[in-house]
Amino acid sequence: MSHAEFEIIRRYFRDSGLNFNKPGIELGIGDDAALLNVPEDRLLCMSMDVLVAGVHFPYSADPAMIANRALAVNLSDLAAMGAEPFCFTLGLVIPENNSSWLDSFSGGLLHLAQHFSCPLVGGDITEGPLSIAIQVQGLSQIDATIRRTGASPGDGVYVTGCLGDGAIALASIGIRSHLGGLVELIDENLPDACKQYFAAAYYQPEPRIEFARQCASLVNAGIDISDGLFGDLGHIVESSDVGVNLQTHLFPYSDSAHCCTTAESRLKAALYGGDDYELCLTVSAEHSLEFESVAAESDIRITCIGEIVAEQGIRCFDGSGAAVQIDDHAYEHFL
Ligand code: ADP
Ligand code: MG
């Protein structure tokens, strides 16, 4: 390791507040590897996401915002499993040793890391085209993991928060999306309040960690919505060998989405757009009341948007009961 590399690790990662102590972290940054003490009655839950400049965020994006988003999308995967954040590691590829960029990037990780008690315990850094790989480690209760399997006919299909904001935000920030012109803004000049709302939705998605842990034992199946409801709910129904009937008129949208898009655009953003990082959870009728009261107590907006059925596939209906035509635009990176 070069002196410059050591200095970067020391300044921005080891001594920046990110490498804080926590029970179970026997050894963090500084040795050849970290040492973690996993409690005997827990499962270690791991997930990784790679973000590449020019693909997942613009080169010019605020480094603090990218950092926050990179950690948030990883934590969202832990939420989707019902796991508690434990710690994370960071693989960083940077084109140059730019101290103000690194300072801002490291600062952007700090808030979420502290908020979710998830210290940085190691990583790697190398020179090259800007990209960020984060791996989070979480702890799951053995008998309360949330998986994609387990959805049963009769389950209500719930989503947290609002749908479509991620894809509408991409259009508002000006990042070209796989949806091309499908998600159209009514007017390119968004009101300032909407602009701010969408920037926050994109760069600071809120991982639903606490809520997922609170309701994990009440949920039959779940996933986080990173690639659009159609594709992600598709994973649940496929893994669970069931189907789903959705009521599109029940889909929850933000005020800003209502303000800036047509109904048709919003629906496409919800079904096929990505980056919402809300949870989609299926809950049996037996547990639905308790599930809804957990959400009310935690002040989490949840909406029941449909029902799991035995017949395979995803069907959508509008308020009058008429079928809504859908086809699969879910994001496929390599298509
Ligand atoms: P090695 O040469 O053995 O791979 P490194 O020089 O890459 O070790 O890293 C030295 C220490 O710094 C290790 O503990 C490693 O986990 C940590 N580290 C390296 N890069 C990062 C990073 N981007 N963020 C956090 N820790 C890092
Ligand atoms: Mg080594």
Side-chain angles (χ1 to χ4, degrees):
M1 179 173 46
S2 73
H3 178 70
E5 219 177 295
F6 175 79
E7 269 308 297
I8 292 176
I9 295 168
R10 187 187 66 72
R11 244 175 102 180
Y12 303 107
F13 301 115
R14 195 195 73 188
D15 297 348
S16 62
L18 282 166
N19 178 39
F20 52 86
N21 284 325
K22 168 177 176 174
I25 310 296
E26 300 292 323
L27 189 61
I29 296 174
D31 212 310
D32 292 305
L35 292 169
L36 313 179
N37 193 344
V38 180
E40 234 171 67
D41 60 344
R42 300 291 199 94
L43 297 175
L44 185 61
C45 174
M46 297 204 282
S47 176
M48 170 173 244
D49 267 299
V50 181
L51 301 184
V52 178
V55 179
H56 302 100
F57 60 88
Y59 284 94
S60 59
D62 177 346
M65 295 285 200
I66 309 165
N68 187 288
R69 178 176 158 79
L71 185 53
V73 301
N74 273 277
L75 290 168
S76 176
D77 281 318
L78 290 185
M81 298 300 290
E84 167 193 355
F86 190 26
C87 57
F88 76 105
T89 46
L90 167 69
L92 190 59
V93 185
I94 43 173
E96 58 182 340
N97 183 353
N98 176 331
S99 59
S100 72
W101 193 95
L102 282 160
D103 202 33
S104 163
F105 181 82
S106 157
L109 293 171
L110 195 59
H111 169 74
L112 272 185
Q114 285 175 337
H115 181 75
F116 289 109
S117 181
C118 190
L120 178 63
V121 298
D124 196 17
I125 186 158
T126 176
E127 204 178 298
L130 180 60
S131 41
I132 300 148
I134 285 185
Q135 184 176 57
V136 281
Q137 284 82 31
L139 296 176
S140 298
Q141 301 285 353
I142 291 176
D143 55 358
T145 54
I146 302 176
R147 307 178 191 213
R148 297 177 179 190
T149 51
S152 262
D155 283 4
V157 175
Y158 290 83
V159 291
T160 58
C162 298
L163 295 175
D165 283 343
I168 301 169
L170 275 179
S172 79
I173 294 166
I175 303 177
R176 216 183 63 82
S177 133
H178 65 290
L179 294 175
L182 282 180
V183 177
E184 266 173 26
L185 303 172
I186 293 171
D187 184 343
E188 295 286 322
N189 296 312
L190 267 48
D192 280 349
C194 295
K195 250 190 226 164
Q196 279 161 23
Y197 174 85
F198 287 126
Y202 187 76
Y203 287 111
Q204 294 156 302
E206 210 178 308
R208 303 293 188 184
I209 292 282
E210 286 97 351
F211 175 61
R213 289 179 60 206
Q214 282 162 350
C215 69
S217 62
L218 303 169
V219 162
N220 276 349
I223 195 165
D224 71 325
I225 308 171
S226 52
D227 295 328
L229 183 67
F230 186 90
D232 289 321
L233 186 51
H235 293 310
I236 290 188
V237 295
E238 259 173 46
S239 312
S240 301
D241 210 12
V242 292
V244 63
N245 292 341
L246 293 173
Q247 311 287 327
T248 56
H249 63 289
L250 299 179
F251 284 11
Y253 297 112
S254 64
D255 291 345
S256 294
H258 278 287
C259 170
C260 303
T261 57
T262 61
E264 195 190 348
S265 262
R266 281 197 288 284
L267 180 60
K268 284 179 174 151
L271 285 174
Y272 314 121
D275 301 310
D276 281 335
Y277 300 104
E278 295 294 349
L279 298 179
C280 176
L281 303 165
T282 86
V283 183
S284 69
E286 184 196 346
H287 289 125
S288 61
L289 277 183
E290 195 179 344
F291 173 79
E292 286 173 14
S293 70
V294 169
E297 278 160 32
S298 359
D299 215 11
I300 294 285
R301 175 179 181 180
I302 52 161
T303 312
C304 185
I305 55 165
E307 189 184 355
I308 297 294
V309 294
E311 187 192 345
Q312 296 197 348
I314 299 181
R315 287 157 296 276
C316 288
F317 301 94
D318 65 18
S320 68
V324 175
Q325 198 58 42
I326 51 171
D327 64 318
D328 185 1
H329 290 278
Y331 194 177
E332 301 277 356
H333 280 275
F334 296 107
L335 287 184

